[in-house]
Amino acid sequence: MKEQLKRLRELQFIDIELDGFRKVKSEIVVRIEENKGFLSKLIVDLEKQKEEFEEIKSLHSSKTDDLAYIKEQHDKRQKRLHNVGSAKEFNAVEKEIEGLKRSITQTQEELQHMNEVIAATQEAITDKESKVVQLQDSIKAEEDASADQIKKADDDIERLNARETEARAEVSKRVLHRYDFIRNRREGLAVVPAKDGHCESCFMAVPAQEFILIQRGETLCMCPHCQCILYFWEEAIGEPGGPKAEVA
Ligand SMILES: [Zn+2]
């Protein structure tokens, strides 16, 4: 069992390294995906604003036609004023002219307001367009910059995957099953040292009888508290990631 535990520690060392490289890669990918998400949202907003811009421009154009029509009516009434036959008719036409004048003022005010909205919308569109370009550039730059990092992480993952397969081949199925079960559940260490009568993962005391078995290293021992596979700490001195010898 001592040899099995040694192999298991090697396997765990490789798996932890693998986790690290996978994390590096996934963080890069997630960051780029996030920025791509912002970009799509920005593009949707921009398209919506462009539609609003077209709508208000079309409203403005029809309002301009209205104004021309009202002015035409106004001018016609003005001319008629010179040719009216009676005071009663004069008053009626003059009243119409007053009404049309109010209409002209009101329509001109509405057009003025629309002009302001058009200018503001145009500004917002220009602003968004430049943000879209900036974000596209920064995503492209980030993709280019991280291509090497991703390639390196992929290479490391591939290299470690091969070592992982080798290491797994040297551990019995029963022990592997236990190891995988704990590791999947805890996303961390599955094989931990037992030292001075306690488990180095949960720091709870291991029963004395169990600790003797761990020291002997003849059977597969688990921490009764956190279920980690335990080995006697001195066995791993000098191994990669293993404990250091204590100076007496
Ligand atoms: Zn424990």
Side-chain angles (χ1 to χ4, degrees):
M1 184 52 66
K2 273 187 185 178
E3 200 51 34
Q4 285 280 297
L5 285 170
K6 186 173 159 58
R7 297 275 163 263
L8 208 52
R9 289 195 294 272
E10 282 172 15
L11 175 61
Q12 178 167 264
F13 189 72
I14 295 166
D15 282 341
I16 288 168
E17 264 197 294
L18 264 175
D19 286 349
F21 289 124
R22 286 187 186 123
K23 190 161 170 261
V24 166
K25 189 183 164 184
S26 90
E27 277 170 359
I28 296 169
V29 172
V30 164
R31 199 169 58 231
I32 293 174
E33 285 310 310
E34 252 174 28
N35 281 341
K36 281 185 178 172
F38 289 141
L39 179 62
S40 338
K41 198 182 162 294
L42 198 57
I43 290 172
V44 169
D45 283 354
L46 178 62
E47 290 311 313
K48 207 174 141 217
Q49 201 138 39
K50 280 182 176 170
E51 277 171 28
E52 284 167 9
F53 185 67
E54 290 309 317
E55 272 169 35
I56 185 121
K57 272 207 320 197
S58 137
L59 277 174
H60 184 276
S61 152
S62 89
K63 206 52 132 176
T64 307
D65 292 346
D66 289 352
L67 181 63
Y69 178 76
I70 300 165
K71 277 183 171 167
E72 198 185 306
Q73 296 303 310
H74 172 270
D75 294 349
K76 273 187 189 166
R77 301 292 189 289
Q78 281 285 12
K79 273 180 197 152
R80 205 196 290 166
L81 213 51
H82 301 300
N83 306 310
V84 287
S86 67
K88 194 184 168 194
E89 200 187 338
F90 184 90
N91 284 339
V93 175
E94 206 175 40
K95 222 176 179 177
E96 280 184 341
I97 289 171
E98 284 311 309
L100 287 165
K101 271 183 182 163
R102 278 197 299 276
S103 243
I104 287 169
T105 309
Q106 198 192 333
T107 311
Q108 279 170 336
E109 279 169 7
E110 284 170 5
L111 278 168
Q112 178 56 35
H113 175 66
M114 280 181 181
N115 281 333
E116 284 162 17
V117 175
I118 286 171
T121 311
Q122 177 67 70
E123 204 177 314
I125 286 172
T126 310
D127 181 52
K128 280 207 175 82
E129 278 173 340
S130 93
K131 276 187 183 147
V132 165
V133 172
Q134 274 175 21
L135 200 50
Q136 277 169 337
D137 288 349
S138 96
I139 289 170
K140 175 80 175 63
E142 195 165 18
E143 277 179 331
D144 289 347
S146 55
D148 286 348
Q149 276 175 285
I150 290 179
K151 170 81 173 68
K152 191 186 170 300
D154 279 339
D155 289 348
D156 287 330
I157 289 168
E158 201 185 314
R159 175 176 56 81
L160 285 169
N161 271 335
R163 279 182 58 197
E164 190 202 29
T165 309
E166 278 172 29
R168 287 181 75 89
E170 292 181 43
V171 182
S172 79
K173 281 216 159 54
R174 183 175 73 95
V175 176
L176 272 183
H177 181 76
R178 189 74 221 163
Y179 170 80
D180 289 336
F181 177 75
I182 302 166
R183 215 162 176 276
N184 287 336
R185 213 178 44 168
R186 295 163 45 98
E187 288 182 10
L189 296 176
V191 194
V192 295
K195 190 180 174 187
D196 301 332
H198 67 261
C199 159
E200 290 272 289
S201 175
C202 67
F203 296 102
M204 298 287 278
V206 175
Q209 194 57 38
E210 185 81 4
F211 196 73
I212 291 166
L213 292 176
I214 295 164
Q215 273 179 298
R216 281 189 194 148
E218 288 164 3
T219 48
L220 186 67
C221 295
M222 256 91 69
C223 170
H225 309 287
C226 71
Q227 316 304 321
C228 277
I229 299 169
L230 293 172
Y231 62 87
F232 186 50
W233 72 281
E234 278 186 358
E235 298 289 338
I237 289 175
E239 288 179 5
K244 289 188 173 53
E246 284 180 347
V247 183

